Amino acid sequence: MAQKKKTTRKKAVAAAPVRAPEPVEELALSEYTEKAYLDYSMYVILDRALPHIGDGLKPVQRRIIYAMSELGLSAVSKHKKSARTVGDVLGKFHPHGDSACYEAMVLMAQPFTYRYPLVDGQGNWGSQDDPKSFAAMRYTESRLAKFSKSLLQELGQGTVDFTPNFDGTMTEPSLLPSRLPHILLNSTQGIAVGMATDIPPHNLTEVGKACIHLLDKPKSTLDDLLQYIEGPDYPSSAEIISSPEDIRNIYETGNGSLRARAIYEREGGDVIITALPFQVSGSKILEQIAAQMNAKKLPMVEDLRDESDHENPTRLVITPRSNRVDTDNLMQHLFATTDLERTYRVNMNMIGLNGRPQVKPLVGILKEWLSFRVETVRRRLQWRLDKVEKRLHLLEGLMIAYLNIDEVIAIIRNNDEPKPVLMKRFKISDEQAEAILELKLRHLAQLEEMKIRGEQEALEQERDKLQATLGSERRMKTLVKKELQEDIDTYGDERRSPIVQREAAQAISEADLIPSEPITVVLSERGWVRAGKGLEVDPLALNYKAGDSFQSYARGRTNRTAMFLDSTGRVYCVPAHGFPSARGLGEPISGRLKPPDGAKFISVMMGDDDERYLFSTTAGYGFVARLGDLISRNKSGKSVISVPAGASVIKSAVVTSLTDNIVCAISNTGSLLCFPVGELPEMAKGKGNKIYSIPASKFKSGEESMIALTVLAPKQKLRVTSGKRHTVIKFRELEDYMGARGQRGRKLPRGFQKVDAIDIE
C-alpha cells in the first residue's frame, strides 16, 4: 500500500508543469553604482540638506511646522510634550531618526540660534553657552511661535500643492505659503553631496522694505537694495566688522565670508565682554584664554571670571595685571587668538522655483521669491474667487426656491426622485438642486429674500474686487506690498548686529608677551644649557655634572633670543625665556635643535640685532657679523662660518665698538697679535679674511695654529693662562703686540710659550 502511494506521488510530481526561469536583468557594476549614487545625491540635495527659496525651510523643518499646526499647537494654544510632535512627524511624514528630528526642532526654538524662532519651547532647550545641553524630548514642551503664522496663515487656501506622504496614506504640503522671504531671515547650514549651504540671517524689516522697493522698481540694482539691507543680522549683538566691499561682494556673487567680533567695555580696571559672536560659547572663550595664561603667553592678565546671569547673559571679566596694561592691545591679541573674533562662511545655495540647487545673489533671491509670493497670492485669490462664485451659484438656486416655495414643496412631496424634476422645472444645476434638497424644514422659514439678496450683493462686490485684482498686475503688486508692510509692522524689530568697519586683529608677538627681565645663559662643555636671573650670575661658581665644566656664557634679557655656535660653524636660535633655572644642571641644548652628528656647541651669544660678534677658526681666518643677520627659525641652524680642512671653530667674541676695540689673537706657539677690529670685514657668512698668518705647511702638520681669540675694549685687561700660570696685560700694554691684520705677532714672555686660554678681565 505504501509503495503504491509513493508511486502515485511521483507521477503527480512528474505531471507538474515546469516553470520557466524568470528573466534576469544584467547591469554593469559601474553603471549600477553610478545610478545609485546619483539617486542618493539628488535625494540628499533636494529632500534633506538644502532649503527651498519659497519658504526657506528644509523638508524636516517644514514637516515639523506642519505637524505642529495639524496638532493644533498654535501660538495661543497650550504647550504639549515635544515627544508627541516628534512622534507625529516620524510616523506621518519623516521616517528618519527621532534624535535628528528633535534636534532640528530644538534649533528652531533657540533664540540664540534662530533670528526669528519658529517654535516656542518650555523647559530646557539649551543655552548660548552650551546649545547641545537641551533636555530630552520627553521632558520639554513646545508649541508654534507667533512668527510661524507667517508660514501657515494661508496654508488651507489653495496656495500650495499637496503631495502624498512616504507611505501614501495622507498628504503633506510640498511648500509652505510664506508671506515673508524666510530664506534670508533665519540662518541655514547644510551639507549635501558635492555642495553645501551657509545662509546668514537678516533683519526682517530691512529685507521686507527691500522687497517693497523691488516691487515698485523691478529694475533696481544691488546698490539700490543695499540702501535697505545693511548686511546680515545675527541673533547676537556682536559687531560685524567686514568692509562694505566684502559685504557687497557676498550679495553680488552669493559667496564670501563675514567677520564678527565681540563687544567689550571698561569697568574700573577690568575689561567686560558683553556680547559674543554668533554660535560662540562663553565657556570656550574662557578655556582659550586660560590656556594662554597657563602657557605664560598672557603675562598681562591677572584674573579671568564669568559673571553671566539671567540679567546679563554674557558678562566675561578680564582683569589686567596693572593699570599700565594697554587693554586695546590686549583685546586685539585676544581677538586674533581666540573665538572672540570669528569668520563665517557665506554660501547662499538653495533650491530654486525650478527645483534645482543654485548659488544665488541677493537680487536674484528677492526677485525669485517675489515671483513665488505673487503666484501664491494669485492662487489664494483664485481659490477665494472660486468659493465666492460657487456660493453665488447656490444662492441663486435658493432664491428660486424662496420665490417658488410652495411648488418646490409639492414637487418634493409628490416625486420619488425630486432632483431631476426640480432641475427641469426651474432650469437649475445639479448643485443648486442638491442645496435645495439639503435644506432643513425649519430653515425654510428663515429663508428670507432680504438676507439672501444681502449676501449676494456682498459676495458680488467681493467677486468683482477679486476679479479686478487678478486681472491687474498693478493691483496684485499693491496687495503684496500691503501684506508685506503688515507683516513688517507685526514681526519687524531693530537690528541687533551693528556693522562697524574695523581692521583685522593682530596677535601680539611672542617676544612682546614675554616679560623683559635680565638673564644670564650658561653653556657647559658638553652642551648643557641653563639660565640664571640677573646679570650678576658667576658661571664659574655654578655646579656642573661630573666630567663637565664651563664653556661659555652670555648676558641678555628673557624676551631675546639666545644663539649657539657649534663646531661645524652653524648658528642656532632658541628663545631665551624657556631655559631651565641655573639652580639645576640644565638640559642638553641638542634636545631642542637638530645639529649634525658629532657637532659640539662652542659658545652662546645674546644681544640686539645690531650687536656684533667676531667669528674665527684655528686656520687664522675670521670676520665680524651682526646678530640680526644670523637669525634662523630652522632647528638645523644656519651655516655662518666656513671651516677649512683640519681647522676648528673658536669661541665667538663680542664686539662692543668698531672704532676702539682691538682683536687679540694668540697661537699655540705663544705669539700674540693685536690689531683694530675695524680691519676685519663685516659679513653675514663665509670664511672671512686672514687674522693671523700661519704657514700652510705648519698648519697642516699641526705645528702651529691660532688657538684663541678675543676682542678687548679700553679699560679692559687681557688674562693669559698657561697651565697653572697666568698673566694679566693691560690695554695700554698691548702696544708691543700691535701689528697689521694677517701678521704673525710677537712672542709672549718666557713661560707662556704654550697658552691654554685667554680671557677678559
Side-chain angles (χ1 to χ4, degrees):
M1 185 70 177
Q3 183 67 30
K4 186 176 181 181
K5 286 184 178 180
K6 188 174 182 182
T7 305
T8 306
R9 189 180 297 112
K10 284 184 178 181
K11 290 182 180 179
V13 171
V18 179
R19 284 189 177 183
E22 295 184 1
V24 177
E25 181 182 2
E26 294 185 359
L27 191 65
L29 182 61
S30 59
E31 295 180 17
Y32 174 78
T33 54
E34 180 180 0
K35 182 179 183 302
Y37 188 72
L38 285 175
D39 291 344
Y40 169 73
S41 302
M42 293 307 298
Y43 166 73
V44 173
I45 291 170
L46 300 179
D47 290 338
R48 291 189 70 176
L50 299 188
H52 195 281
I53 192 172
D55 56 11
L57 299 174
K58 301 178 185 179
V60 63
Q61 297 169 329
R62 185 179 303 119
R63 287 162 177 165
I64 291 171
I65 298 299
Y66 178 65
M68 293 182 75
S69 69
E70 289 294 290
L71 286 170
L73 298 177
S74 67
V76 295
S77 68
K78 185 180 178 181
H79 291 82
K80 291 185 180 179
K81 287 289 184 182
S82 302
R84 182 171 181 183
T85 298
V86 173
D88 264 37
V89 173
L90 301 184
K92 295 179 179 179
F93 310 114
H94 197 73
H96 294 277
D98 59 336
S99 59
C101 179
Y102 180 52
E103 187 166 344
M105 183 178 176
V106 168
L107 293 177
M108 293 191 290
Q110 292 177 337
F112 48 84
T113 300
Y114 262 43
R115 181 64 176 82
Y116 300 95
L118 301 177
V119 176
D120 176 20
Q122 186 170 274
N124 178 13
W125 290 81
S127 63
Q128 183 175 354
D129 196 49
D130 187 7
K132 299 287 188 180
S133 62
F134 52 86
M137 59 184 172
R138 62 182 177 274
Y139 299 120
T140 61
E141 296 180 343
S142 58
R143 66 182 180 186
L144 289 171
K146 181 181 178 183
F147 181 75
S148 296
K149 186 178 179 182
S150 65
L151 294 169
L152 298 165
Q153 187 173 342
E154 301 173 357
L155 184 59
Q157 302 178 24
T159 50
V160 293
D161 296 328
F162 279 73
T163 58
N165 67 339
F166 65 91
D167 60 1
T169 57
M170 56 197 316
T171 59
E172 60 176 317
S174 57
L175 290 174
L176 295 182
S178 177
R179 291 168 58 95
L180 291 165
H182 186 258
I183 188 71
L184 292 175
L185 301 184
N186 281 318
S187 62
T188 302
Q189 293 89 32
I191 300 176
V193 179
M195 62 181 66
T197 182
D198 285 279
I199 304 173
H202 291 76
N203 184 268
L204 188 152
T205 303
E206 294 179 2
V207 175
K209 289 182 177 179
C211 289
I212 292 174
H213 178 81
L214 198 57
L215 284 170
D216 288 332
K217 298 179 180 179
K219 295 184 179 180
S220 296
T221 62
L222 175 60
D223 293 326
D224 296 332
L225 297 184
L226 291 182
Q227 295 178 4
Y228 300 94
I229 301 177
E230 298 181 31
D233 186 23
Y234 291 99
S236 167
S237 56
E239 295 177 340
I240 295 175
I241 62 172
S242 296
S243 66
E245 293 77 16
D246 290 342
I247 295 177
R248 188 187 187 282
N249 182 66
I250 289 172
Y251 289 138
E252 185 175 20
T253 63
N255 278 303
S257 61
L258 289 166
R259 286 185 295 117
R261 179 180 291 180
I263 295 178
Y264 70 95
E265 58 188 29
R266 298 176 184 84
E267 188 177 291
D270 296 336
V271 176
I272 313 296
I273 299 173
T274 57
L276 295 174
F278 179 55
Q279 292 181 332
V280 171
S281 166
S283 60
K284 184 178 180 181
I285 294 294
L286 295 177
E287 290 176 6
Q288 291 174 336
I289 299 177
Q292 294 191 42
M293 293 174 65
N294 293 334
K296 298 182 179 180
K297 294 183 178 180
L298 276 180
M300 67 283 289
V301 175
E302 181 179 15
D303 190 23
L304 180 69
R305 60 186 182 274
D306 186 359
E307 296 183 355
S308 304
D309 52 27
H310 291 292
E311 294 182 2
N312 302 289
T314 301
R315 183 179 170 86
L316 307 181
V317 182
I318 301 174
T319 303
R321 190 168 294 278
S322 70
N323 55 10
R324 295 189 301 273
V325 174
D326 189 333
T327 55
D328 289 334
N329 285 343
L330 170 62
M331 292 307 298
Q332 288 292 316
H333 173 75
L334 293 178
F335 288 146
T337 58
T338 69
D339 284 344
L340 287 174
E341 181 176 319
R342 189 168 179 180
T343 300
Y344 299 92
R345 188 169 66 95
V346 177
N347 180 24
M348 295 196 285
N349 190 6
M350 62 196 71
I351 300 172
L353 297 181
N354 58 0
R356 297 179 179 178
Q358 184 182 356
V359 177
K360 300 179 183 293
L362 178 65
V363 177
I365 291 173
L366 294 183
K367 283 186 175 181
E368 192 167 345
W369 181 83
L370 284 173
S371 66
F372 166 79
R373 179 59 189 160
V374 170
E375 179 60 25
T376 301
V377 173
R378 187 183 305 279
R379 292 183 62 168
R380 186 190 78 204
L381 297 181
Q382 186 62 52
W383 176 84
R384 179 57 186 168
L385 179 60
D386 294 341
K387 291 280 187 181
V388 169
E389 289 180 340
K390 182 177 180 180
R391 180 59 181 170
L392 284 173
H393 183 64
L394 295 179
L395 289 176
E396 183 181 350
L398 294 177
M399 181 59 70
I400 293 173
Y402 172 77
L403 296 176
N404 302 277
I405 187 65
D406 294 334
E407 189 175 356
V408 168
I409 292 174
I411 292 174
I412 294 173
R413 288 182 63 186
N414 298 327
N415 292 275
D416 295 334
E417 295 290 337
K419 182 190 288 190
V421 179
L422 289 172
M423 294 172 61
K424 182 177 180 181
R425 169 65 184 83
F426 300 109
K427 298 180 180 179
I428 59 178
S429 66
D430 184 271
E431 293 82 5
Q432 290 173 324
E434 189 66 32
I436 294 171
L437 292 172
E438 287 181 355
L439 281 173
K440 294 183 178 180
L441 189 61
R442 61 183 178 184
H443 289 164
L444 294 177
Q446 298 175 0
L447 203 60
E448 300 175 4
E449 182 180 1
M450 293 301 296
K451 289 183 178 181
I452 295 176
R453 292 193 182 279
E455 186 179 355
Q456 279 182 322
E457 290 177 3
L459 291 176
E460 286 172 354
Q461 291 178 3
E462 184 180 358
R463 179 191 61 192
D464 295 340
K465 185 178 179 181
L466 290 170
Q467 289 175 341
T469 303
L470 287 168
S472 171
E473 184 178 352
R474 182 179 61 83
R475 290 193 179 191
M476 183 69 73
K477 288 184 177 180
T478 301
L479 177 60
V480 173
K481 287 191 297 183
K482 178 183 176 183
E483 292 176 350
L484 278 171
Q485 188 59 53
E486 289 175 356
D487 289 338
I488 291 173
D489 296 338
T490 303
Y491 306 111
D493 57 2
E494 297 295 327
R495 165 174 282 275
R496 295 184 188 175
S497 301
I499 298 179
V500 183
Q501 185 176 358
R502 300 187 189 278
E503 296 295 328
Q506 296 292 329
I508 302 174
S509 65
E510 187 175 353
D512 294 336
L513 287 172
I514 300 168
S516 179
E517 298 175 351
I519 190 176
T520 300
V521 179
V522 181
L523 177 69
S524 76
E525 188 178 351
R526 290 189 175 181
W528 284 60
V529 66
R530 46 186 157 167
K533 292 183 179 180
L535 303 178
E536 307 301 326
V537 177
D538 184 2
L540 297 175
L542 299 177
N543 294 324
Y544 294 88
K545 296 182 68 175
D548 200 2
S549 60
F550 167 74
Q551 174 73 14
S552 175
Y553 77 96
R555 293 189 170 102
R557 306 194 76 84
T558 51
N559 60 346
R560 294 294 180 182
T561 299
M563 298 183 177
F564 295 88
L565 175 66
D566 74 358
S567 56
T568 66
R570 303 183 72 82
V571 172
Y572 308 82
C573 298
V574 180
H577 68 277
F579 293 134
S581 172
R583 296 177 181 177
L585 297 175
E587 67 177 24
I589 188 60
S590 58
R592 300 191 180 197
L593 305 171
K594 295 180 179 178
D597 293 339
K600 179 182 177 182
F601 289 95
I602 303 298
S603 61
V604 59
M605 302 163 284
M606 287 186 72
D608 297 332
D609 289 349
D610 290 331
E611 193 157 339
R612 294 168 173 82
Y613 273 77
L614 175 57
F615 294 88
S616 59
T617 63
T618 56
Y621 289 86
F623 60 90
V624 176
R626 291 175 62 254
L627 289 184
D629 295 333
L630 309 180
I631 295 176
S632 171
R633 295 183 180 179
N634 193 340
K635 288 187 176 182
S636 299
K638 178 180 181 180
S639 179
V640 174
I641 184 169
S642 301
V643 184
S648 58
V649 178
I650 297 176
K651 286 184 183 180
S652 58
V654 62
V655 178
T656 58
S657 173
L658 293 175
T659 56
D660 56 8
N661 283 187
I662 61 172
V663 178
C664 300
I666 197 165
S667 70
N668 61 345
T669 60
S671 296
L672 175 64
L673 173 66
C674 300
F675 61 88
V677 72
E679 295 184 12
L680 284 173
E682 185 172 319
M683 305 167 60
K685 60 182 297 186
K687 179 180 178 181
N689 288 5
K690 183 177 287 188
I691 295 176
Y692 192 97
S693 178
I694 303 173
S697 59
K698 290 188 176 183
F699 179 76
K700 289 182 180 179
S701 64
E703 295 181 30
E704 189 174 357
S705 63
M706 187 175 73
I707 62 168
L709 178 146
T710 190
V711 178
L712 208 64
K715 298 183 180 180
Q716 289 182 334
K717 302 175 183 179
L718 182 67
R719 180 186 178 94
V720 182
T721 303
S722 176
K724 294 183 179 181
R725 304 180 62 183
H726 72 271
T727 184
V728 177
I729 307 174
K730 296 181 180 179
F731 187 85
R732 63 177 181 272
E733 296 174 350
L734 294 174
E735 293 181 1
D736 295 338
Y737 301 95
M738 293 293 291
R741 178 185 61 80
Q743 292 183 348
R744 289 184 55 77
R746 294 183 59 183
K747 290 285 186 178
L748 287 167
R750 185 176 179 180
F752 290 92
Q753 278 72 33
K754 186 177 181 181
V755 177
D756 296 323
I758 56 174
D759 297 298
I760 298 173
E761 281 194 355

